[in-house]
């Protein structure tokens, strides 16, 4: 029977159900986790003997750049990223190529090979939503969704400046439906708009040109809208001044703006059984914290500011972060933060691209290589790991590389091993520039995360943070049958033997998606259907009408007609709307 | 004109213990779609019989075929790459990627070779009696690529999209080469008896390029390091170079060249910190 499987005798790590390495059997029927299978069902079910192995929910990546115009720009401007990283087709799988920015097929297979089954695209410019959905639809195996870039949107900046939160909320609700997207992403609030004039904003209270709205007002307004609508995800923030020495201060001040905001997630979904409350309890989700955490004044005197932000987050309960680790090697930097890309061009002289997305935002792409011999790159490596190790509560952290900005997602095994093994960190310290040790606190940290912690950072917490814990990130009854089996025996786990951990994380023993085995030891064996999630947000009809009148009036400034703006459902693979803010 | 004193280091300086075996490939038929023949290396032939070598598969368009469909294979490989010599008796103009990534041994092509010959080679030697198509010695790391005829574009160059080309080894061309020779070159040597066309040594970071003949234009454009010597006339000299001094000798690694040179440094068109050295024949370029 398809989608029915029993995974027996594994050491199970399911943090949302507070299961910490108990030997258990996990049963899945028709794609969903069930308490047990009948004798008759068991007879027909596939059975995996996971004795001596680690069993976790399927991996969830809550912040990765995997689909859309800038990702594809990264592919097309980098032939040199493709000619050595090639994948031959098989009778089952498609061919592919690309190391930091793989083609859609290859990235689906590569994620699944590592045990990941759910990936959310970090930034969708509304005008590029169709393109983004086309690529997500073509990416095999992964359940997906994405966040809409709204931090420099003409309509929203106008409403927020005028304090018209209700209309702003109606606009956001309409945009989520229109572009089949899932949450609010805010990139360099108020700053990207200034970039259209060759400028930026440099403090939270600097008003931008024409709209005269400040980053502080934008962050506060978008967060109010987010909680008013009861969105699944907290406001997903890429703070101002990213990637500049000294930026940690503005990052900390930005987080402070949202202290005291009450998280209000209002989704009408069927919740899988979990022991912990699976609803999100944070009001801000800070993206790729490492890039936002530089102290110092120049690249000559810069140092880690992670300790300071981590201290703040340790004392507060409204912040969750993903790390944006930089595991050394090739990367392709891509962001909605156009000016940040131009700054990197000035540093590196590399080829680069920049785009102004009409009335909605900006974007840019530049190739980058993180070198162990480079002092700043070595410091960045240490800072990324500090983000995950200096914040005490694992439920406040998520492991990412901001793929492919810090490095491709295929380097996750390295990052997972660094946070689990001090010996592996020491090994890397011995190979990289001394700034990694001298200008960060990493060398003095002997914390090693457990497999339970790792399951929080790579499964339970990303799912809970983005409002997917009703079906992802746990193995509770009713959850999706997405399961990873790693060849790691927790009883014999030796963090000094980091080579064994790297091997196990690079190729999961089994990746199960919706109860079907999709990968065995990194090899793809089946290609079941996938889903795309988006927020169907409901607001009062009258407000929507008023808002649409404004939108239509300004729509003449777009290069396309109003009727051609929406992304129809046919662009999505198995569109799965999540009802937000009640039924209409 | 320059009188080059080139010290030829034997590529296979190491002691070879075993007996050298020669595998001969004789083209059987006209090739329409070009072959992707990166299996033609001493490394993949070593330890295989003639029959096994004939079974190695090569891509032609969207399909793979056994090597023996295109070549008659005579002789077995040696027990290691070092002890394996490959002789292609005939024309290989439509055969690409011969010797790609080879680490040792020798390939002699008694005709012309297709694109990408010696791409990424790490060691050993390739001799081409005829001409080579573009991308010869692309991103080469070591060994010797000896071309008796002419070469196409992008000799020792970086792959499309990046600026780190050849890093080591030596390419010798007895004829002439075309555009972008040594693009993004990081190390090693390229020696051309004849002339080159545009953008020789573009974005060069290290290594040595010696051209006995002339060059069309853009020599050393955007170079940041390394040395270029041009023995003939440069038709259009790049604007970002500054004259340093007159020299009667150029020394770079094991190579020493005697002659009257004007030494320039650059290319300052983009970076003010560029460290490229460009020597041009004083006689052939009186206006510089």
């Amino acid at each position: 029977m398809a989608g029915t499987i029993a995974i027996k005798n594994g050491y199970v790590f399911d943090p949302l159900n507070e299961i910490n390495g108990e030997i258990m059997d996990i049963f899945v029927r028709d794609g969903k986790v069930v308490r047990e299978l009948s004798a008759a069902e068991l007879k027909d079910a596939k059975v995996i003997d996971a004795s001596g192995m680690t069993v976790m929910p399927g991996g969830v990546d809550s912040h990765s750049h995997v689909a859309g115009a800038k990702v594809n720009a990264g592919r097309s401007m980098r032939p040199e990223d493709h000619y050595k990283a090639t994948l031959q087709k098989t009778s089952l799988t498609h061919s592919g190529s690309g190391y930091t920015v793989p083609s859609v097929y290859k990235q689906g297979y590569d994620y699944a090979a590592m045990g990941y089954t759910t990936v959310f695209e970090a930034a969708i410019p509304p005008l590029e939503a169709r393109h983004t959905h086309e690529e997500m639809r073509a990416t095999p195996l992964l359940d997906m969704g994405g966040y809409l870039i709204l931090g420099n949107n003409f309509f929203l900046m106008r409403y927020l400046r005028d304090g018209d939160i209700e209309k702003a909320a109606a606009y956001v609700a309409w945009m989520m439906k229109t572009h089949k997207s899932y949450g609010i992403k805010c990139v360099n609030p108020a700053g990207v708009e200034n970039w259209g004039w060759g400028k930026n904003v440099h403090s939270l209270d600097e008003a931008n040109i024409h709209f005269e709205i400040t980053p502080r007002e934008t962050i506060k307004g978008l967060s109010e809208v987010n909680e008013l609508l009861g969105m699944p995800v907290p406001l997903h923030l890429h703070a101002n001044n990213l990637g500049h020495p000294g930026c940690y201060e503005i990052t900390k001040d930005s987080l402070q703006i949202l202290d005291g905001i009450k998280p209000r997630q209002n989704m009408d979904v069927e919740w899988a059984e979990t022991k912990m409350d699976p609803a999100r309890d944070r009001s801000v989700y800070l993206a790729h914290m490492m890039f936002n955490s530089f102290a110092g004044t120049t690249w000559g005197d810069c140092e880690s500011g992670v300790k300071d932000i981590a201290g703040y987050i340790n004392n507060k309960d409204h912040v969750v972060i993903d790390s944006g680790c930089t595991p050394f090697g090739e990367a392709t930097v891509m962001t909605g933060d156009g000016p940040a890309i131009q700054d990197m061009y000035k540093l590196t002289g590399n080829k680069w691209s920049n785009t102004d997305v009409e009335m909605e935002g900006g974007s840019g792409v530049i190739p980058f290589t993180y070198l162990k011999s480079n002092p700043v790159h070595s410091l960045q490596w240490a800072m990324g790991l500090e983000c995950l190790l200096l914040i005490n509560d694992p439920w406040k952290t998520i492991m990412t590389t901001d793929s492919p900005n810090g490095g491709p997602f295929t380097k996750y095994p390295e990052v997972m091993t660094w946070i689990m093994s001090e010996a592996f960190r020491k090994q890397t310290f011995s190979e990289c520039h001394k700034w990694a040790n001298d200008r960060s606190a990493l060398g003095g940290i002997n914390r090693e995360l457990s497999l339970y912690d790792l399951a929080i950072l790579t499964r339970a917490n990303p799912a809970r943070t983005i409002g997917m814990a009703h079906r992802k990130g746990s193995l509770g009854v009713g959850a999706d049958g997405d399961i990873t089996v790693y060849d790691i025996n927790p009883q014999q786990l030796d963090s000094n033997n980091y080579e064994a951990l790297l091997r196990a994380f690079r190729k999961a023993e089994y990746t199960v998606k919706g109860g079907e085995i999709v990968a065995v030891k990194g090899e793809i064996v089946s290609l079941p259907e996938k889903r795309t999630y988006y927020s169907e947000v409901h607001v009062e009809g009258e407000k929507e009408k008023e808002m649409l009148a404004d939108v239509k009036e300004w729509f003449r400034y777009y290069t396309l007609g109003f009727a051609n703006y929406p992304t129809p459902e046919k662009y999505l693979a198995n569109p799965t709307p999540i009802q937000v803010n009640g039924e209409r | 004109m320059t009188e080059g004193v080139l010290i030829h280091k034997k590529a296979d300086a190491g002691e070879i213990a075993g007996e050298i075996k020669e595998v001969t490939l004789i083209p059987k038929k006209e090739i329409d779609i070009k072959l992707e023949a990166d299996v033609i290396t001493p490394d993949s032939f070593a330890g295989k019989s003639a029959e096994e070598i004939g079974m190695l598969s090569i891509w032609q368009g969207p399909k793979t075929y056994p090597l023996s469909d295109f070549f008659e294979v005579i002789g077995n490989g040696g027990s290691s790459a070092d002890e394996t010599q490959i002789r292609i008796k005939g024309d290989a103009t439509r055969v690409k990627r011969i010797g790609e990534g080879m680490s040792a041994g020798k390939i002699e092509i008694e005709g012309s070779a297709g694109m990408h010959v010696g791409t990424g080679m790490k060691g050993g030697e390739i001799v081409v009696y005829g001409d080579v198509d573009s991308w010869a010695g692309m991103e080469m790391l070591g060994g010797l690529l000896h071309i008796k005829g002419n070469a196409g574009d992008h000799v020792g160059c970086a792959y499309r999209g990046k600026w780190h080309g050849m890093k080591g080894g030596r390419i010798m061309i007895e004829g002439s080469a075309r555009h972008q020779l040594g693009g993004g070159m990081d190390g090693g040597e390229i020696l051309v008896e004849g002339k080159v066309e545009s953008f020789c040594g573009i974005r060069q970071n290290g290594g040595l390029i010696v051209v006995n003949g002339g060059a069309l234009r853009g020599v050393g454009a955007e170079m940041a390091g390394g040395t270029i010597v041009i023995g003939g006339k440069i038709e259009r000299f790049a604007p970002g170079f500054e004259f340093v001094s007159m020299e009667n000798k150029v020394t770079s690694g094991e190579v020493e060249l005697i002659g009257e040179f004007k030494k320039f440094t650059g290319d300052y068109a983009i970076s003010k910190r560029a460290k490229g050295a460009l020597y041009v024949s004083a006689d052939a370029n009186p206006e510089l």
Side-chain angles (χ1 to χ4, degrees):
Chain A
M1 207 187 324
T4 300
I5 196 166
I7 296 170
K8 296 197 146 180
N9 296 318
Y11 293 96
V12 175
F13 293 86
D14 179 6
L16 281 165
N17 284 299
E18 294 169 8
I19 296 168
N20 184 1
E22 281 171 45
I23 296 182
M24 286 173 69
D25 298 342
I26 303 289
F27 301 103
V28 180
R29 184 175 58 221
D30 298 335
K32 294 276 185 190
V33 176
V34 290
R35 215 168 302 282
E36 57 191 351
L37 293 175
S38 69
E41 286 166 339
L42 258 178
K43 225 174 70 190
D44 292 340
K46 281 213 174 101
V47 177
I48 290 176
D49 177 13
S51 322
M53 297 198 197
T54 293
V55 176
M56 290 186 186
V60 179
D61 194 342
S62 56
H63 185 114
S64 183
H65 299 268
V66 282
K70 70 186 174 338
V71 180
N72 216 32
R75 292 187 187 109
S76 55
M77 76 191 271
R78 297 206 66 186
E80 80 280 11
D81 189 51
H82 289 250
Y83 78 119
K84 282 181 181 161
T86 56
L87 177 72
Q88 203 174 320
K89 76 167 182 177
T90 68
S91 57
L92 182 69
T93 56
H94 205 286
S95 62
S97 67
Y99 176 67
T100 64
V101 202
S103 53
V104 283
Y105 295 101
K106 188 169 185 289
Q107 77 189 4
Y109 306 143
D110 286 353
Y111 259 116
M114 298 191 309
Y116 274 74
T117 51
T118 305
V119 176
F120 272 63
E121 162 59 41
I124 309 176
L127 266 178
E128 305 293 350
R130 282 188 189 211
H131 182 165
T132 310
H133 278 297
E134 284 181 310
E135 288 195 16
M136 292 204 287
R137 184 178 61 186
T139 302
L141 294 169
L142 304 176
D143 278 8
M144 300 178 90
Y147 318 124
L148 206 57
I149 292 194
L150 293 170
N152 289 274
N153 180 290
F154 277 25
F155 303 94
L156 276 175
M157 285 192 291
R158 196 166 54 157
Y159 286 143
L160 295 179
R161 179 198 57 200
D162 297 343
D164 200 340
I165 291 293
E166 289 206 349
K167 267 194 189 170
Y171 178 76
V172 170
W174 175 72
M175 287 290 272
M176 292 294 155
K177 279 182 287 188
T178 300
H179 296 300
K180 310 290 180 285
S181 47
Y182 186 81
I184 304 177
K185 175 77 180 292
C186 175
V187 176
N188 186 1
V192 178
E193 170 52 27
N194 265 16
W195 182 232
W197 307 93
K199 295 186 168 66
N200 202 340
V201 291
H202 300 284
S203 83
L204 284 177
D205 296 307
E206 183 183 339
N208 67 4
I209 301 164
H210 183 77
F211 292 94
E212 295 191 333
I213 188 167
T214 66
R216 186 187 301 279
E217 290 160 347
T218 310
I219 293 168
K220 196 162 172 290
L222 283 176
S223 170
E224 272 180 59
V225 167
N226 198 68
E227 304 308 338
L228 184 70
L229 294 174
M231 295 295 288
V233 205
L235 178 64
H236 193 21
L237 179 67
H238 161 135
N240 299 93
N241 223 2
L242 174 136
H244 292 136
C247 66
Y248 83 104
E249 289 191 40
I250 201 167
T251 306
K252 205 171 72 172
D253 293 344
S254 302
L255 298 176
Q256 222 147 15
I257 297 171
L258 302 177
D259 186 14
I261 301 259
K262 199 174 162 346
R264 182 182 158 274
Q265 190 183 40
N266 181 13
M267 311 186 299
D268 183 17
V269 290
E270 284 200 25
W271 293 85
E273 280 181 22
T274 51
K275 202 167 262 181
M276 284 180 69
D277 180 359
R280 75 167 159 94
D281 54 358
R282 315 288 179 204
S283 58
V284 58
Y285 169 13
L286 178 66
H288 36 71
M289 171 171 157
M290 185 280 292
F291 292 104
N292 281 308
S293 302
F294 292 104
T297 55
T298 66
W299 290 119
D301 71 359
C302 76
E303 55 185 354
S304 169
V306 172
K307 206 171 185 174
D308 206 69
I309 301 180
Y312 176 78
I313 294 171
N314 282 335
N315 286 322
K316 298 283 180 179
D317 284 320
H318 65 290
V319 186
V320 56
I321 64 111
D322 73 63
S323 55
C325 289
T326 47
F328 291 115
E330 284 291 305
T332 302
V333 177
M334 51 179 69
T335 169
D337 195 349
I341 294 292
Q342 200 248 357
D343 289 336
M344 290 186 69
Y345 159 69
K346 284 191 288 187
L347 271 179
T348 63
N350 280 351
K351 56 185 170 184
W352 63 299
S353 83
N354 229 255
T355 298
D356 176 44
V357 190
E358 302 195 14
M359 290 146 70
E360 300 175 343
S363 179
V365 183
I366 187 167
F368 199 84
T369 311
Y370 295 94
L371 299 168
K372 285 181 177 167
S373 57
N374 182 297
V376 176
H377 303 171
S378 300
L379 173 62
Q380 285 181 279
W381 164 76
M383 287 166 59
L385 300 179
E386 276 186 307
C387 292
L388 299 175
L389 294 168
L390 286 175
I391 296 173
N392 301 324
D393 181 357
W395 289 100
K396 292 177 178 173
T397 57
I398 292 167
M399 189 281 303
T400 69
T401 62
D402 186 16
S403 176
N405 283 281
F409 62 84
T410 42
K411 287 279 185 71
Y412 285 177
E414 273 79 352
V415 181
M416 288 153 79
T417 306
W418 274 315
I419 55 181
M420 287 183 69
S421 164
E422 194 186 5
F424 189 37
R425 297 199 290 269
K426 287 218 166 103
Q427 171 61 31
T428 306
F429 271 126
S430 75
E431 293 165 355
C432 72
H433 194 275
K434 61 182 168 51
W435 276 27
N437 198 14
D438 294 355
R439 302 198 177 198
S440 83
L442 187 67
I445 301 172
N446 46 29
R447 183 178 176 196
E448 292 183 331
L449 296 191
S450 64
L451 286 167
Y452 187 73
D453 294 333
L454 190 81
I456 298 174
L457 265 61
T458 56
R459 274 98 177 143
N461 202 31
R464 187 184 189 211
T465 295
I466 66 172
M468 286 302 294
H470 57 283
R471 60 192 300 169
K472 302 291 182 189
S474 90
L475 296 173
V477 169
D480 286 354
D482 296 2
I483 301 160
T484 312
V485 181
Y486 290 121
D487 184 13
I488 297 172
N489 185 334
Q491 301 297 323
Q492 294 160 11
L493 180 71
D494 173 11
S495 66
N496 290 318
N497 185 3
Y498 48 82
E499 289 293 344
L501 282 174
L502 285 168
R503 263 197 310 278
F505 291 138
R506 279 181 188 140
K507 287 179 180 177
E509 193 69 16
Y510 294 97
T511 306
V512 176
K513 170 95 193 313
E516 287 190 52
I517 301 175
V518 296
V520 181
K521 293 188 171 76
E523 196 189 323
I524 304 301
V525 295
S526 75
L527 295 168
E529 292 276 307
K530 58 173 288 175
R531 286 193 177 81
T532 312
Y533 301 95
Y534 69 93
S535 294
E536 178 132 357
V537 193
H538 301 284
V539 290
E540 203 192 311
E542 209 43 47
K543 274 284 162 232
E544 186 173 277
K545 230 182 260 171
E546 281 175 41
M547 173 275 299
L548 278 178
D550 296 342
V551 170
K552 280 177 183 158
E553 194 208 317
W554 259 23
F555 220 86
R556 60 196 149 102
Y557 297 116
Y558 268 119
T559 54
L560 83 174
F562 186 74
N564 297 328
Y565 191 52
T567 304
E569 271 209 340
K570 67 176 181 189
Y571 281 78
L572 280 66
N574 296 315
T576 310
I578 287 172
Q579 304 303 323
V580 177
N581 208 27
E583 291 289 342
R584 197 187 294 262
Chain B
M1 229 356 272
T2 54
E3 292 167 33
V5 183
L6 299 181
I7 303 153
H8 286 252
K9 198 175 69 171
K10 281 287 279 178
D12 49 356
E15 284 293 302
I16 296 167
E19 188 192 348
I20 294 179
K21 296 264 181 73
E22 186 169 285
V23 180
T24 305
L25 302 179
I26 304 169
K28 277 183 173 172
K29 59 180 179 186
E30 285 273 298
I31 296 165
D32 46 7
I33 300 174
K34 290 180 180 181
L35 304 181
E36 305 280 333
D38 52 324
V39 294
I40 304 182
T41 63
D43 301 71
S44 62
F45 283 14
K48 291 189 178 70
S49 67
E51 199 182 341
E52 288 167 327
I53 291 167
M55 302 284 281
L56 289 169
S57 76
I58 52 178
W59 287 94
Q60 186 183 37
K63 289 185 178 165
T64 59
Y65 300 91
L67 188 63
S68 57
D69 274 17
F70 302 96
F71 295 96
E72 187 182 338
V73 184
I74 302 166
N76 303 330
S79 53
S80 69
D82 240 351
E83 296 152 74
T84 302
Q85 194 161 321
I86 302 170
R87 182 175 300 280
I88 301 181
K89 273 194 172 303
D91 183 68
T93 305
R94 299 188 73 75
V95 184
K96 299 197 281 185
R97 300 167 68 183
I98 297 170
E100 179 172 313
M102 68 186 269
S103 65
K106 188 171 179 181
I107 301 177
E108 283 197 48
I109 303 164
E110 295 184 357
S112 293
M115 289 203 287
H116 296 275
V117 63
T119 283
M121 72 185 279
K122 302 178 193 81
E125 185 179 350
I126 299 176
V127 183
V128 185
Y129 287 74
D131 299 335
V132 297
D133 205 339
S134 299
W135 302 101
M138 183 189 92
E139 295 178 10
M140 186 166 161
L141 300 168
L144 174 64
L145 173 57
H146 186 166
I147 298 152
K148 296 191 181 248
N150 297 317
D153 301 320
H154 299 283
V155 172
C157 197
Y159 186 74
R160 291 265 189 232
K162 74 177 191 188
W163 286 120
H164 294 283
M166 178 172 178
K167 288 189 168 57
R170 178 181 281 176
I171 301 176
M172 291 169 59
I173 301 168
E174 295 188 16
S176 294
R178 299 200 315 191
H179 307 282
Q180 299 209 8
L181 177 127
M185 183 172 175
D186 281 346
E189 294 154 12
I190 304 178
L191 314 167
V192 185
E193 287 292 330
K195 59 186 177 53
V196 295
E197 297 188 20
S198 309
F199 298 106
C200 160
I202 184 173
R203 283 267 186 145
Q204 188 179 351
N205 311 297
L208 172 69
I209 297 173
V210 179
V211 179
N212 270 329
L216 199 56
R217 66 175 183 127
V219 175
E222 297 187 12
M223 77 188 288
T227 306
I228 303 177
V229 184
I230 304 289
K233 181 168 177 56
I234 299 178
E235 297 293 337
R236 279 184 276 161
F237 194 73
F241 285 84
E242 282 174 15
F243 178 77
V244 180
S245 55
M246 294 296 294
E247 302 284 337
N248 51 27
K249 190 170 81 173
V250 180
T251 320
S252 171
E254 296 170 348
V255 176
E256 192 170 82
L257 298 157
I258 312 293
E260 284 297 309
F261 297 103
K262 292 176 178 174
K263 180 183 180 182
F264 296 82
T265 54
D267 181 357
Y268 302 116
I270 297 212
S271 168
K272 300 297 159 212
R273 300 189 302 264
K275 292 191 178 66
L278 171 55
Y279 297 86
V280 300
S281 159
D283 292 348
N285 297 279
E287 76 288 359
L288 287 179

